[in-house]
Amino acid sequence: MGKASRDKRDIYYRKAKEEGWRARSAFKLLQIDEEFNIFEGVKRVVDLCAAPGSWSQVLSRKLYLPAKLSSEPRDCDHPLIVAIDLQPMAPIEGVIQVQGDITNARTAEVVIKHFDGCKADLVVCDGAPDVTGLHDMDEFVQSQLILAGLTIVTHVLREGGKFIAKIFRGKDTSLLYCQLKLFFPVVTFAKPKSSRNSSIEAFAVCENYSPPEGFNEKDLYRLLEKVGSPSGADDLDCSSGWLEGPNKVYIPFLACGDLSGYDSDRSYPLPTVAEGTSYQSLDPVQPPIAPPYKRALELKKASSNGLREQELEKLSLDS
Ligand code: SAM
Protein backbone atom coordinates (compact mmCIF):
# COMPACT_ATOMS: atom_id res chain seq x y z
CA MET A 1 0.00 0.00 0.00
CA GLY A 2 1.42 3.43 -0.97
CA LYS A 3 1.91 6.08 1.70
CA ALA A 4 -0.92 8.30 0.39
CA SER A 5 -3.42 5.44 0.21
CA ARG A 6 -2.44 4.38 3.74
CA ASP A 7 -3.05 8.01 4.80
CA LYS A 8 -6.56 7.62 3.41
CA ARG A 9 -7.19 4.17 4.83
CA ASP A 10 -5.80 4.89 8.28
CA ILE A 11 -6.71 8.29 9.64
CA TYR A 12 -4.65 7.85 12.82
CA TYR A 13 -1.53 6.98 10.80
CA ARG A 14 -1.95 10.28 8.92
CA LYS A 15 -2.74 12.31 12.05
CA ALA A 16 0.29 10.85 13.84
CA LYS A 17 2.62 12.22 11.17
CA GLU A 18 0.84 15.58 11.12
CA GLU A 19 1.16 15.95 14.91
CA GLY A 20 4.74 14.63 15.06
CA TRP A 21 4.10 11.26 16.77
CA ARG A 22 6.41 8.39 15.86
CA ALA A 23 3.50 5.93 15.75
CA ARG A 24 -0.30 6.00 15.69
CA SER A 25 -0.23 4.23 19.09
CA ALA A 26 0.22 7.67 20.70
CA PHE A 27 -3.52 8.23 20.26
CA LYS A 28 -4.32 5.07 22.23
CA LEU A 29 -2.53 6.40 25.30
CA LEU A 30 -4.04 9.87 24.85
CA GLN A 31 -7.55 8.40 24.58
CA ILE A 32 -7.02 6.19 27.63
CA ASP A 33 -5.99 9.36 29.47
CA GLU A 34 -9.14 11.19 28.27
CA GLU A 35 -11.26 8.51 29.93
CA PHE A 36 -9.19 7.64 33.01
CA ASN A 37 -7.13 10.74 33.71
CA ILE A 38 -4.07 8.55 34.10
CA PHE A 39 -1.54 11.40 34.31
CA GLU A 40 -3.14 13.14 37.27
CA GLY A 41 -0.50 13.60 39.99
CA VAL A 42 2.01 11.55 37.99
CA LYS A 43 5.71 12.46 37.88
CA ARG A 44 7.59 9.19 37.52
CA VAL A 45 6.82 6.62 34.86
CA VAL A 46 8.14 3.38 33.40
CA ASP A 47 7.34 2.80 29.72
CA LEU A 48 7.75 -0.93 28.98
CA CYS A 49 8.12 -2.09 25.37
CA ALA A 50 8.44 1.49 24.25
CA ALA A 51 9.90 1.48 20.70
CA PRO A 52 9.61 3.33 18.41
CA GLY A 53 8.60 5.69 21.20
CA SER A 54 5.25 7.37 20.63
CA TRP A 55 4.06 6.61 24.19
CA SER A 56 7.38 7.97 25.50
CA GLN A 57 6.75 11.09 23.40
CA VAL A 58 3.34 11.48 25.05
CA LEU A 59 4.96 11.08 28.47
CA SER A 60 7.69 13.58 27.60
CA ARG A 61 5.18 16.16 26.31
CA LYS A 62 2.75 15.69 29.20
CA LEU A 63 5.14 15.27 32.13
CA TYR A 64 8.71 16.23 31.31
CA LEU A 65 8.45 19.30 29.07
CA PRO A 66 6.05 21.32 31.32
CA ALA A 67 8.24 20.58 34.39
CA LYS A 68 11.46 21.43 32.52
CA LEU A 69 10.29 25.04 32.39
CA SER A 70 9.85 25.20 36.15
CA SER A 71 12.82 25.27 38.53
CA GLU A 72 11.67 22.53 40.92
CA PRO A 73 14.48 20.77 42.82
CA ARG A 74 15.58 17.31 41.60
CA ASP A 75 13.89 15.06 44.15
CA CYS A 76 11.20 12.36 44.13
CA ASP A 77 8.83 15.00 42.76
CA HIS A 78 10.97 15.57 39.71
CA PRO A 79 9.77 13.88 36.49
CA LEU A 80 11.52 10.64 35.62
CA ILE A 81 10.62 8.62 32.53
CA VAL A 82 12.39 5.31 31.90
CA ALA A 83 11.65 3.50 28.62
CA ILE A 84 12.66 -0.08 27.81
CA ASP A 85 12.54 -2.08 24.59
CA LEU A 86 14.30 -4.92 22.82
CA GLN A 87 14.87 -2.51 19.93
CA PRO A 88 17.01 0.63 20.09
CA MET A 89 15.07 3.91 20.04
CA ALA A 90 16.04 7.35 18.75
CA PRO A 91 16.42 9.77 21.71
CA ILE A 92 13.42 11.63 23.21
CA GLU A 93 13.88 14.62 25.48
CA GLY A 94 13.57 13.71 29.16
CA VAL A 95 13.37 9.95 28.54
CA ILE A 96 16.04 7.53 29.85
CA GLN A 97 16.29 4.58 27.50
CA VAL A 98 17.22 1.01 28.37
CA GLN A 99 17.61 -1.61 25.65
CA GLY A 100 16.65 -5.05 26.91
CA ASP A 101 14.11 -7.81 27.30
CA ILE A 102 11.50 -7.10 29.99
CA THR A 103 11.15 -10.81 30.71
CA ASN A 104 14.81 -10.90 31.73
CA ALA A 105 15.53 -10.32 35.43
CA ARG A 106 18.64 -8.27 34.61
CA THR A 107 16.62 -5.74 32.60
CA ALA A 108 14.18 -5.44 35.48
CA GLU A 109 17.12 -4.74 37.81
CA VAL A 110 18.40 -1.91 35.58
CA VAL A 111 14.95 -0.29 35.60
CA ILE A 112 14.59 -0.70 39.35
CA LYS A 113 18.02 0.97 39.86
CA HIS A 114 16.81 4.13 38.12
CA PHE A 115 14.03 4.39 40.69
CA ASP A 116 16.41 3.99 43.60
CA GLY A 117 14.80 5.53 46.65
CA CYS A 118 11.68 6.87 44.92
CA LYS A 119 8.91 4.83 43.41
CA ALA A 120 7.04 5.23 40.11
CA ASP A 121 3.49 6.61 39.93
CA LEU A 122 2.63 4.87 36.68
CA VAL A 123 3.84 1.89 34.66
CA VAL A 124 2.67 1.49 31.06
CA CYS A 125 3.25 -1.54 28.85
CA ASP A 126 2.33 -1.60 25.17
CA GLY A 127 4.34 -4.76 24.55
CA ALA A 128 3.38 -7.10 21.78
CA PRO A 129 5.14 -10.18 20.47
CA ASP A 130 5.51 -10.78 16.73
CA VAL A 131 2.04 -12.13 16.06
CA THR A 132 2.01 -15.66 14.60
CA GLY A 133 -1.70 -15.76 13.75
CA LEU A 134 -2.07 -18.79 16.06
CA HIS A 135 -4.41 -17.08 18.43
CA ASP A 136 -3.84 -19.22 21.55
CA MET A 137 -0.10 -18.93 21.14
CA ASP A 138 -0.21 -15.13 20.59
CA GLU A 139 -2.46 -14.67 23.61
CA PHE A 140 -0.14 -16.80 25.75
CA VAL A 141 3.03 -14.92 24.73
CA GLN A 142 1.22 -11.61 25.28
CA SER A 143 0.15 -12.69 28.77
CA GLN A 144 3.81 -13.54 29.57
CA LEU A 145 4.76 -9.98 28.66
CA ILE A 146 2.04 -8.63 30.97
CA LEU A 147 3.24 -10.83 33.80
CA ALA A 148 6.83 -9.65 33.21
CA GLY A 149 5.43 -6.10 33.38
CA LEU A 150 3.61 -6.96 36.60
CA THR A 151 6.88 -8.24 38.09
CA ILE A 152 8.48 -4.87 37.41
CA VAL A 153 5.36 -3.16 38.81
CA THR A 154 5.69 -5.02 42.11
CA HIS A 155 9.21 -3.61 42.50
CA VAL A 156 8.86 -0.03 41.31
CA LEU A 157 5.23 1.12 41.62
CA ARG A 158 4.17 3.07 44.69
CA GLU A 159 1.00 2.05 46.55
CA GLY A 160 -1.93 3.80 44.90
CA GLY A 161 -0.13 3.87 41.52
CA LYS A 162 -1.49 2.78 38.13
CA PHE A 163 -0.57 0.16 35.57
CA ILE A 164 -1.74 0.24 31.94
CA ALA A 165 -1.04 -2.88 29.88
CA LYS A 166 -1.93 -4.04 26.42
CA ILE A 167 -3.87 -7.31 26.44
CA PHE A 168 -5.13 -9.65 23.72
CA ARG A 169 -8.75 -10.55 24.34
CA GLY A 170 -9.22 -14.31 24.32
CA LYS A 171 -10.42 -17.24 26.34
CA ASP A 172 -8.05 -16.53 29.24
CA THR A 173 -9.01 -12.89 29.62
CA SER A 174 -10.97 -13.62 32.82
CA LEU A 175 -7.94 -15.33 34.35
CA LEU A 176 -5.77 -12.32 33.57
CA TYR A 177 -8.41 -10.01 35.05
CA CYS A 178 -8.42 -12.03 38.27
CA GLN A 179 -4.63 -12.01 38.46
CA LEU A 180 -4.53 -8.23 38.06
CA LYS A 181 -7.32 -7.85 40.66
CA LEU A 182 -5.00 -9.39 43.25
CA PHE A 183 -2.96 -6.20 43.09
CA PHE A 184 -5.37 -3.54 41.92
CA PRO A 185 -8.88 -3.10 43.36
CA VAL A 186 -10.00 -1.34 40.18
CA VAL A 187 -9.32 -3.03 36.85
CA THR A 188 -11.07 -1.97 33.64
CA PHE A 189 -10.47 -3.24 30.14
CA ALA A 190 -10.52 -0.35 27.68
CA LYS A 191 -10.68 -0.12 23.92
CA PRO A 192 -9.50 3.26 22.61
CA LYS A 193 -11.17 4.55 19.44
CA SER A 194 -7.81 4.50 17.67
CA SER A 195 -7.45 0.75 18.24
CA ARG A 196 -9.08 -1.01 15.30
CA ASN A 197 -12.22 -3.00 16.04
CA SER A 198 -10.78 -5.74 13.91
CA SER A 199 -7.84 -6.06 16.34
CA ILE A 200 -8.12 -8.26 19.44
CA GLU A 201 -6.03 -5.80 21.44
CA ALA A 202 -7.43 -3.86 24.38
CA PHE A 203 -5.80 -2.27 27.44
CA ALA A 204 -6.04 -3.22 31.09
CA VAL A 205 -6.28 -0.03 33.14
CA CYS A 206 -5.35 -1.00 36.69
CA GLU A 207 -5.80 1.61 39.43
CA ASN A 208 -4.78 2.03 43.06
CA TYR A 209 -1.93 -0.47 43.41
CA SER A 210 -2.46 -2.34 46.68
CA PRO A 211 -0.42 -5.56 46.93
CA PRO A 212 -1.87 -8.21 49.27
CA GLU A 213 -0.78 -7.78 52.91
CA GLY A 214 2.63 -9.31 53.58
CA PHE A 215 3.22 -9.72 49.85
CA ASN A 216 6.73 -10.84 48.90
CA GLU A 217 7.73 -10.04 45.31
CA LYS A 218 9.52 -13.39 45.06
CA ASP A 219 6.21 -15.19 45.53
CA LEU A 220 4.49 -13.42 42.64
CA TYR A 221 4.10 -16.44 40.38
CA ARG A 222 3.04 -18.75 43.23
CA LEU A 223 0.39 -16.21 44.19
CA LEU A 224 -0.87 -15.89 40.62
CA GLU A 225 -1.15 -19.65 40.30
CA LYS A 226 -3.56 -19.65 43.24
CA VAL A 227 -6.11 -17.57 41.37
CA GLY A 228 -8.83 -19.83 40.12
CA SER A 229 -8.02 -22.66 42.51
CA PRO A 230 -10.76 -23.32 45.10
CA SER A 231 -8.36 -22.67 47.98
CA GLY A 232 -6.86 -19.55 46.44
CA ALA A 233 -7.48 -15.86 47.15
CA ASP A 234 -10.96 -16.14 48.68
CA ASP A 235 -11.69 -12.43 48.71
CA LEU A 236 -11.91 -12.40 44.91
CA ASP A 237 -15.32 -13.04 43.44
CA CYS A 238 -13.61 -14.94 40.65
CA SER A 239 -11.60 -17.32 42.80
CA SER A 240 -14.12 -19.85 44.05
CA GLY A 241 -14.14 -22.81 41.71
CA TRP A 242 -13.43 -22.02 38.06
CA LEU A 243 -14.67 -19.22 35.85
CA GLU A 244 -17.78 -20.89 34.52
CA GLY A 245 -21.49 -20.73 35.28
CA PRO A 246 -22.25 -18.71 38.42
CA ASN A 247 -18.53 -18.07 39.00
CA LYS A 248 -18.12 -16.34 35.69
CA VAL A 249 -16.76 -12.81 36.04
CA TYR A 250 -18.02 -9.80 34.18
CA ILE A 251 -15.11 -7.60 33.26
CA PRO A 252 -15.72 -3.84 33.13
CA PHE A 253 -15.09 -2.93 29.51
CA LEU A 254 -15.06 0.66 28.26
CA ALA A 255 -14.61 2.32 24.90
CA CYS A 256 -12.48 5.42 25.33
CA GLY A 257 -11.74 8.48 23.28
CA ASP A 258 -14.26 10.93 21.90
CA LEU A 259 -16.97 8.75 20.34
CA SER A 260 -17.79 11.44 17.82
CA GLY A 261 -14.13 11.33 16.70
CA TYR A 262 -12.43 9.27 14.00
CA ASP A 263 -13.23 5.61 13.42
CA SER A 264 -9.99 3.66 12.99
CA ASP A 265 -11.66 1.04 10.76
CA ARG A 266 -12.97 3.58 8.22
CA SER A 267 -11.31 5.19 5.21
CA TYR A 268 -11.39 8.99 5.10
CA PRO A 269 -10.84 11.18 2.05
CA LEU A 270 -7.52 12.96 1.97
CA PRO A 271 -7.64 16.65 2.90
CA THR A 272 -8.45 18.97 0.02
CA VAL A 273 -5.54 21.01 -1.26
CA ALA A 274 -5.36 24.12 -3.40
CA GLU A 275 -6.34 23.68 -7.03
CA GLY A 276 -3.51 22.52 -9.23
CA THR A 277 -1.58 20.86 -6.40
CA SER A 278 -1.85 17.30 -5.18
CA TYR A 279 -1.89 15.98 -1.61
CA GLN A 280 1.63 15.42 -0.29
CA SER A 281 1.97 12.50 2.07
CA LEU A 282 4.36 13.13 4.99
CA ASP A 283 7.33 10.91 5.79
CA PRO A 284 7.25 8.95 9.07
CA VAL A 285 8.28 11.14 12.02
CA GLN A 286 11.08 8.78 13.09
CA PRO A 287 11.85 5.74 10.94
CA PRO A 288 13.02 2.72 12.99
CA ILE A 289 16.78 2.93 13.58
CA ALA A 290 17.47 -0.82 13.59
CA PRO A 291 14.42 -2.64 12.23
CA PRO A 292 14.51 -6.45 12.28
CA TYR A 293 13.89 -6.49 8.51
CA LYS A 294 17.09 -4.47 7.79
CA ARG A 295 19.24 -7.59 7.58
CA ALA A 296 16.73 -9.29 5.27
CA LEU A 297 16.91 -6.31 2.90
CA GLU A 298 20.72 -6.42 2.94
CA LEU A 299 20.66 -10.12 2.14
CA LYS A 300 18.16 -9.60 -0.67
CA LYS A 301 20.32 -6.85 -2.14
CA ALA A 302 23.46 -8.99 -1.83
CA SER A 303 21.67 -11.86 -3.54
CA SER A 304 20.55 -9.70 -6.45
CA ASN A 305 24.13 -8.43 -6.72
CA GLY A 306 25.14 -12.00 -7.51
CA LEU A 307 26.78 -13.12 -4.23
CA ARG A 308 27.32 -16.87 -4.19
CA GLU A 309 25.18 -19.13 -1.98
CA GLN A 310 28.00 -19.78 0.55
CA GLU A 311 28.68 -16.04 0.90
CA LEU A 312 25.00 -15.37 1.57
CA GLU A 313 24.90 -18.14 4.15
CA LYS A 314 27.93 -16.60 5.89
CA LEU A 315 26.23 -13.17 5.89
CA SER A 316 23.05 -14.54 7.51
CA LEU A 317 25.05 -16.48 10.11
CA ASP A 318 26.98 -13.32 11.01
CA SER A 319 23.73 -11.41 11.65
N1 SAM B 1 4.25 1.93 22.66
C1 SAM B 1 5.12 1.93 21.48
C2 SAM B 1 5.00 3.28 20.82
O1 SAM B 1 4.09 4.01 21.17
O2 SAM B 1 5.83 3.60 19.96
C3 SAM B 1 4.79 0.82 20.53
C4 SAM B 1 5.13 -0.53 21.10
S1 SAM B 1 5.12 -1.78 19.88
C5 SAM B 1 3.42 -2.04 19.63
C6 SAM B 1 5.56 -3.22 20.78
C7 SAM B 1 7.01 -3.24 21.23
O3 SAM B 1 7.16 -4.31 22.15
C8 SAM B 1 8.03 -3.49 20.12
O4 SAM B 1 8.86 -2.38 19.97
C9 SAM B 1 8.83 -4.71 20.62
O5 SAM B 1 10.21 -4.59 20.38
C10 SAM B 1 8.53 -4.65 22.12
N2 SAM B 1 8.74 -5.92 22.82
C11 SAM B 1 8.17 -7.12 22.55
N3 SAM B 1 8.62 -8.04 23.43
C12 SAM B 1 9.49 -7.41 24.27
C13 SAM B 1 10.28 -7.83 25.38
N4 SAM B 1 10.27 -9.10 25.79
N5 SAM B 1 11.04 -6.91 26.02
C14 SAM B 1 11.07 -5.63 25.59
N6 SAM B 1 10.34 -5.16 24.54
C15 SAM B 1 9.56 -6.05 23.89
Side-chain angles (χ1 to χ4, degrees):
M1 201 193 313
K3 242 192 299 160
S5 62
R6 183 146 181 220
D7 280 339
K8 191 169 154 192
R9 283 271 302 277
D10 186 342
I11 185 87
Y12 286 104
Y13 168 79
R14 187 174 96 210
K15 291 268 156 213
K17 290 187 292 176
E18 284 169 11
E19 294 179 23
W21 304 114
R22 290 180 182 184
R24 64 193 294 294
S25 322
F27 294 106
K28 299 176 192 169
L29 191 62
L30 290 166
Q31 290 170 348
I32 290 171
D33 178 47
E34 265 176 43
E35 188 66 45
F36 296 92
N37 216 0
I38 55 170
F39 298 128
E40 193 182 13
V42 166
K43 295 268 166 84
R44 306 165 68 84
V45 190
V46 183
D47 183 4
L48 299 172
C49 304
S54 75
W55 280 26
S56 288
Q57 285 183 291
V58 172
L59 298 169
S60 171
R61 289 192 200 177
K62 290 257 179 198
L63 309 173
Y64 175 78
L65 295 179
K68 188 183 144 190
L69 304 175
S70 77
S71 54
E72 280 174 28
R74 288 198 159 263
D75 55 11
C76 285
D77 270 348
H78 201 81
L80 176 69
I81 303 164
V82 180
I84 302 99
D85 202 285
L86 286 171
Q87 310 291 335
M89 257 164 71
I92 296 172
E93 197 176 357
V95 178
I96 297 171
Q97 295 180 11
V98 176
Q99 192 179 349
D101 180 344
I102 66 159
T103 63
N104 183 319
R106 248 177 299 153
T107 312
E109 277 165 25
V110 175
V111 177
I112 292 158
K113 264 200 196 127
H114 281 291
F115 283 84
D116 196 26
C118 307
K119 291 217 155 185
D121 306 301
L122 172 68
V123 177
V124 295
C125 178
D126 190 23
D130 288 335
V131 178
T132 63
L134 299 171
H135 189 69
D136 285 353
M137 170 106 122
D138 293 338
E139 192 194 344
F140 173 77
V141 180
Q142 179 67 19
S143 68
Q144 295 311 297
L145 276 184
I146 299 169
L147 296 183
L150 188 60
T151 308
I152 295 179
V153 160
T154 59
H155 285 88
V156 301
L157 192 64
R158 69 164 168 80
E159 292 213 8
K162 296 167 205 154
F163 177 42
I164 317 293
K166 166 141 73 198
I167 60 158
F168 283 174
R169 285 170 298 152
K171 63 178 169 39
D172 288 333
T173 306
S174 309
L175 174 62
L176 181 63
Y177 174 74
C178 293
Q179 292 176 325
L180 293 170
K181 282 281 276 183
L182 283 173
F183 297 89
F184 297 89
V186 185
V187 178
T188 311
F189 286 179
K191 180 82 175 169
K193 279 284 280 177
S194 48
S195 169
R196 296 185 189 92
N197 287 324
S198 49
S199 156
I200 54 167
E201 82 168 5
F203 293 85
V205 180
C206 311
E207 298 174 82
N208 195 11
Y209 178 58
S210 325
E213 221 180 291
F215 169 67
N216 177 347
E217 291 93 3
K218 293 200 180 88
D219 288 338
L220 176 70
Y221 286 89
R222 231 180 308 153
L223 182 68
L224 292 179
E225 271 167 18
K226 275 191 174 181
V227 179
S229 76
S231 55
D234 292 335
D235 52 336
L236 274 176
D237 52 2
C238 44
S239 63
S240 50
W242 192 231
L243 310 171
E244 292 297 337
N247 298 317
K248 202 168 173 166
V249 282
Y250 291 95
I251 304 173
F253 193 86
L254 261 186
C256 46
D258 179 1
L259 293 183
S260 62
Y262 296 110
D263 176 346
S264 52
D265 290 281
R266 249 189 73 187
S267 291
Y268 288 84
L270 295 171
T272 43
V273 286
E275 222 172 289
T277 55
S278 60
Y279 168 77
Q280 288 296 320
S281 179
L282 297 171
D283 283 332
V285 171
Q286 172 62 61
I289 53 178
Y293 51 81
K294 193 170 158 203
R295 199 68 187 147
L297 291 179
E298 281 169 6
L299 287 170
K300 195 171 162 200
K301 198 165 155 207
S303 140
S304 62
N305 284 347
L307 277 197
R308 283 200 318 270
E309 213 170 281
Q310 293 101 313
E311 288 168 315
L312 280 175
E313 205 168 297
K314 184 171 181 310
L315 261 179
S316 55
L317 285 177
D318 288 347
S319 60

